[in-house]
Amino acid sequence: MIERKFENKLLALAKEPGFESLQDLATTLERIGEKKLASGGSLVLPNLFLSTNEGYDFETILLSLEELLDHYGLMKFSGPVRHYELSLDYSMPNAPDFPAFTALYDAVEKYLARFNHAYSGILVIDITDWVVRSATSEKKFLDFLHYMSEVDERTLAIYVDMSGSPSKADLAYRLLITKTRLEKLRLVLEDPKVALNVLEKELSSFGFSLDKEAKQAIIPTLKAILNTKGHEGPWTMHQLAEDIVYNAYKNEGELKTTVTKEALKPFLEGGKWLLDFVDKKRYYMGLVGE
């Protein structure tokens, strides 16, 4: 029987537009895994500090990561799920309790533990609330990190920051790295050319494409989207593609699946779609009136 070669799905995902920054992680884990299999040795992986947009498909990333870690024996999974996600909501210093931490503790020690076996898996913890407030040096957050150090060797913690503020993210990272072994990962859609590739892939899934002139014309729109606080990266590109396709079907005349600059008018600078998008994000982010 021919043994099937292991497919590093995380590396395959890194070849998709918008996911390129996963490549170093995928190749590094594969390199470490192969050496571990050959040597029979053991090691504990560092945790991850992930700065990202909200609109990424984290489930696909996590499933690919789990498969990679399991194949090479880089993590011994134990528990009802291989990964658990939780938002560590901010708690005021003078508040008597810390509900988000209590929820995390109960999950790890009760729900995820089975038959006296401690949970071993991936903990994905959104710390954005603390990052935006520059509050990661507060006592409650440090108490949370102390608890995480107690489960460190049996879990891989992914601390997620969606603040969109590199300076605040760096402040949080510098604090965390004093408390835990940590590697930084940035998965953020910020290059208009990469955004165009994502948009074209989304349009292709509907059977649509942009002509050469339309590609050039949409670049300023993509720049404006990526400069708008609260944009959701790949998900925003998906929504834009849906609206471009809907507009093509809605217009009078014959349906044209190759989109021209003329057909893109509502989506270009000064067009209704972009104006509505920016206004909607301003309301959502609480920026109206600034």
Side-chain angles (χ1 to χ4, degrees):
M1 182 177 178
I2 299 175
E3 185 177 347
R4 185 179 175 185
K5 189 177 185 301
F6 173 71
E7 179 189 0
N8 187 337
K9 292 180 182 176
L10 193 65
L11 187 58
L13 184 61
K15 295 175 182 176
E16 297 288 331
F19 290 82
E20 296 88 349
S21 61
L22 292 175
Q23 183 164 351
D24 282 348
L25 177 65
T27 54
T28 297
L29 289 177
E30 186 171 67
R31 186 186 310 121
I32 291 170
E34 287 173 349
K35 290 179 180 178
K36 182 180 182 300
L37 286 180
S39 68
S42 62
L43 78 161
V44 178
L45 295 173
N47 296 313
L48 295 174
F49 181 83
L50 172 62
S51 288
T52 187
N53 294 130
E54 196 170 326
Y56 274 91
D57 181 0
F58 289 117
E59 193 66 20
T60 298
I61 295 171
L62 289 169
L63 290 174
S64 301
L65 177 60
E66 290 166 12
E67 191 174 272
L68 182 57
L69 295 174
D70 185 52
H71 174 76
Y72 289 111
L74 293 173
M75 173 159 281
K76 294 180 180 178
F77 291 98
S78 173
V81 293
R82 289 188 168 188
H83 73 264
Y84 185 80
E85 301 175 62
L86 178 135
S87 178
L88 193 76
D89 296 336
Y90 181 73
S91 179
M92 294 293 291
N94 57 353
D97 52 6
F98 188 175
F101 175 70
T102 301
L104 172 66
Y105 180 87
D106 287 346
V108 174
E109 304 298 335
K110 299 174 184 178
Y111 165 64
L112 297 173
R114 281 292 184 269
F115 307 112
N116 295 322
H117 290 288
Y119 176 66
S120 178
I122 302 171
L123 294 175
V124 185
I125 306 173
D126 186 344
I127 61 170
T128 304
D129 239 7
W130 296 82
V131 175
V132 296
R133 290 175 168 83
S134 300
T136 50
S137 60
E138 292 184 6
K139 184 180 183 303
K140 284 185 176 180
F141 191 84
L142 295 177
D143 288 345
F144 150 71
L145 288 181
H146 177 72
Y147 170 72
M148 292 301 295
S149 70
E150 295 180 355
V151 299
D152 191 52
E153 290 196 6
R154 66 177 191 263
T155 63
L156 172 65
I158 303 179
Y159 300 101
V160 180
D161 158 53
M162 299 185 189
S163 68
S165 172
S167 60
K168 290 183 177 181
D170 186 60
L171 184 66
Y173 172 77
R174 283 189 278 117
L175 181 282
L176 264 71
I177 204 168
T178 66
K179 305 297 180 183
T180 182
R181 295 168 57 235
L182 199 63
E183 288 194 357
K184 187 185 287 188
L185 179 63
R186 184 170 170 81
L187 187 64
V188 177
L189 189 59
E190 53 192 352
D191 184 339
K193 291 181 180 177
V194 176
L196 176 60
N197 291 337
V198 177
L199 176 62
E200 287 188 281
K201 183 182 177 186
E202 293 290 344
L203 286 170
S204 178
S205 70
F206 291 101
F208 280 69
S209 63
L210 300 173
D211 70 17
K212 186 176 181 179
E213 193 178 18
K215 290 179 187 180
Q216 291 299 319
I218 200 71
I219 289 291
T221 294
L222 301 180
K223 285 181 180 177
I225 290 172
L226 299 181
N227 287 331
T228 300
K229 191 173 179 62
H231 78 83
E232 296 178 84
W235 179 247
T236 298
M237 294 304 107
H238 174 78
Q239 292 176 314
L240 176 56
E242 285 185 334
D243 285 340
I244 290 173
V245 171
Y246 174 70
N247 190 65
Y249 275 94
K250 184 178 69 173
N251 286 340
E252 294 180 359
E254 182 184 354
L255 177 67
K256 295 179 180 178
T257 56
T258 300
V259 182
T260 64
K261 179 181 177 181
E262 179 66 24
L264 276 182
K265 267 189 178 179
F267 308 95
L268 304 183
E269 284 189 303
K272 186 177 185 305
W273 189 93
L274 187 56
L275 291 173
D276 286 349
F277 174 80
V278 173
D279 284 346
K280 184 166 57 178
K281 289 300 175 186
R282 283 174 62 81
Y283 275 103
Y284 179 73
M285 300 299 293
L287 301 175
V288 173
E290 285 190 347

